[in-house]
Amino acid sequence: MASESTPQQLLATALADGLAQIEASDSTDALKAVLTGLTGKKGSLVAIRSSLGKVDDLEARKALGQLVNEAMTTLEEASVVRSRALRANEFAAQIEQERVDLTELAMSAQASRRRGRMHLVTQATERLEDVFVGLGFQIAEGPEVETDFYNFEALNMPPSHPARSMWDTLFIESDIEGSVVLRTHTSPVQIRVMKEWPPPIYAIMPGRVFRKETPDATHMPVFHQIEGLVIDRGITFADLAGTIESFTKAFFGPGFTSRLRPSYFPFTEPSAEFDIRRPDGSWIELGGCGMVHPHVLRAGGLDPNEWSGFAFGFGIDRMAKERHGVEDLRDMYSDDVRFTEQFS
Ligand code: DAH
């Protein structure tokens, strides 16, 4: 009869067996089960440890206890190594499984004529243009790099006029310091249009504008505005209010209305801000407007005794943000197609 195995032999066998099982596990789940079977409460090593109580010699018992602990550590370390390898394999398999075959994508895109999407601001600009063209307006554009003259002076803000501080201005280096700016609004295009087009003028002027702002949820250093200018004989504030109201209904829908609140802009007198009332009763602050100031008419080469007019301007990005419930303006410029896709 074979003599009974010593605890050391049992331990050596359990360890070798455990290492083999660890090496043989083919998934992280299987590995976890193996490890529990070895070192868990009911595991084989724990059984060996319990049997140590039967060893009478204290020193021998201690030495064996030490060996059991070492075996446990060895098994745990081996399982960590194995687990890493398995995870790497599983990740590689997942990558392979989720691999996008671009050939196929290109082919199906071609098949379904899938195209890119227009940016929310582009969509809004085009709709605004459609609505105003429908109201009889023409579209004009001006340069993004402007002179101080067009951006401020011609708009009734001589050098060091306090109202200039309403716009945090970005300057372009130039021979005469401060004489060239990135336009802070689309209002300078009013002057260019007045100088170039014989009145009567019914014009809208969309475009990019620039301000020295730190980007946050409601501000961007680069954004878009649309300017409106009407010059004709006998134009009154009632024409301004009526145009804003017609635009509101045509652009937002029949359930929307507008209101004007007294305000101040150097280029209009009187000036107002206008808000749009949603069907639920809430208000969107949209922009500024007013009767074109006589100084501005003159800067545009028009005689204030013959011509009068109104102007308005508002932010396109902010309007699109309000209209579509976009929480953070920065999302609009994240270059993430998943954002753009929501709005087509
Ligand atoms: N230019 C103004 C701004 O950027 C907005 C504005 C107000 C435009 C009144 C106008 C106007 O044409 O009449 O804050």
Side-chain angles (χ1 to χ4, degrees):
M1 199 180 115
S3 64
E4 217 182 297
S5 310
T6 64
Q8 283 91 337
Q9 284 167 334
L10 280 177
L11 186 62
T13 316
L15 181 59
D17 184 46
L19 286 171
Q21 282 186 53
I22 287 173
E23 207 41 52
S25 9
D26 56 4
S27 72
T28 39
D29 285 345
L31 177 63
K32 253 185 227 154
V34 165
L35 196 64
T36 315
L38 294 167
T39 61
K41 266 191 202 141
K42 292 184 184 148
S44 45
L45 285 192
V46 178
I48 296 176
R49 182 186 274 151
S50 322
S51 72
L52 292 183
K54 289 188 215 135
V55 178
D56 290 331
D57 181 73
L58 183 64
E59 284 308 314
R61 201 157 72 203
K62 261 197 192 163
L64 270 171
Q66 181 71 26
L67 282 178
V68 173
N69 287 344
E70 280 168 18
M72 288 259 195
T73 313
T74 306
L75 289 171
E76 269 153 17
E77 282 171 0
S79 87
V80 169
V81 171
R82 182 68 191 147
S83 158
R84 262 191 219 131
L86 285 170
R87 275 213 306 266
N89 285 348
E90 283 165 4
F91 186 60
Q94 187 191 355
I95 293 280
E96 182 54 31
Q97 200 189 0
E98 293 177 359
R99 193 162 72 101
V100 180
D101 185 338
L102 292 176
T103 335
E104 222 170 83
L105 188 75
M107 277 164 58
S108 74
Q110 213 172 18
S112 65
R113 296 227 158 257
R114 207 191 132 183
R115 298 196 193 138
R117 317 281 169 140
M118 274 206 292
H119 194 274
L120 202 47
V121 171
T122 313
Q123 290 179 40
T125 307
E126 292 202 349
R127 275 208 61 218
L128 287 165
E129 290 177 357
D130 284 350
V131 166
F132 279 110
V133 166
L135 293 172
F137 286 70
Q138 285 178 287
I139 302 167
E141 277 180 15
E144 293 174 354
V145 177
E146 264 298 8
T147 56
D148 176 274
F149 176 80
Y150 283 100
N151 198 79
F152 293 117
E153 198 159 348
L155 291 166
N156 198 27
M157 283 176 276
S160 75
H161 190 289
R164 286 180 175 224
S165 64
M166 288 165 78
W167 296 272
D168 288 318
T169 309
L170 290 160
F171 293 90
I172 298 278
E173 263 182 38
S174 60
D175 292 345
I176 306 168
E177 207 190 320
S179 64
V180 184
V181 303
L182 285 174
R183 67 177 177 194
T184 58
H185 48 179
T186 42
S187 300
V189 193
Q190 287 185 34
I191 307 294
R192 293 182 176 276
V193 167
M194 281 189 262
K195 282 183 153 188
E196 271 171 45
W197 295 2
I201 296 167
Y202 290 77
I204 50 156
M205 297 145 264
R208 245 187 335 175
V209 300
F210 308 83
R211 291 192 197 164
K212 202 169 160 231
E213 303 260 21
T214 306
D216 65 21
T218 52
H219 299 89
M220 288 296 275
V222 181
F223 58 103
H224 302 77
Q225 285 188 334
I226 188 162
E227 194 81 10
L229 177 69
V230 167
I231 304 285
D232 209 335
R233 292 191 169 87
I235 294 289
T236 68
F237 201 88
D239 297 310
L240 166 58
T243 303
I244 299 273
E245 182 65 14
S246 306
F247 154 72
T248 301
K249 296 244 182 310
F251 187 81
F252 292 96
F256 289 74
T257 53
S258 60
R259 78 171 170 202
L260 301 181
R261 279 180 289 118
S263 186
Y264 170 76
F265 295 99
F267 27 91
T268 40
E269 178 57 38
S271 302
E273 277 173 82
F274 61 98
D275 309 325
I276 308 295
R277 185 180 188 274
R278 296 192 183 93
D280 69 3
S282 61
W283 292 91
I284 312 169
E285 280 184 29
L286 212 56
C289 61
M291 302 307 290
V292 180
H293 196 287
H295 289 172
V296 177
L297 288 170
R298 273 196 211 96
L302 299 175
D303 178 357
N305 294 316
E306 186 177 359
W307 301 103
S308 59
F310 64 78
F312 58 85
F314 57 88
I316 300 175
D317 315 59
R318 267 205 40 215
M319 187 200 66
K321 172 183 181 291
E322 289 295 328
R323 193 149 177 256
H324 295 284
V326 176
E327 301 225 318
D328 193 320
L329 269 184
R330 289 167 295 191
D331 290 340
M332 297 225 267
Y333 294 95
S334 59
D335 267 356
D336 189 333
V337 76
R338 288 170 303 181
F339 177 82
T340 316
E341 274 174 351
Q342 296 174 78
F343 307 102
S344 46

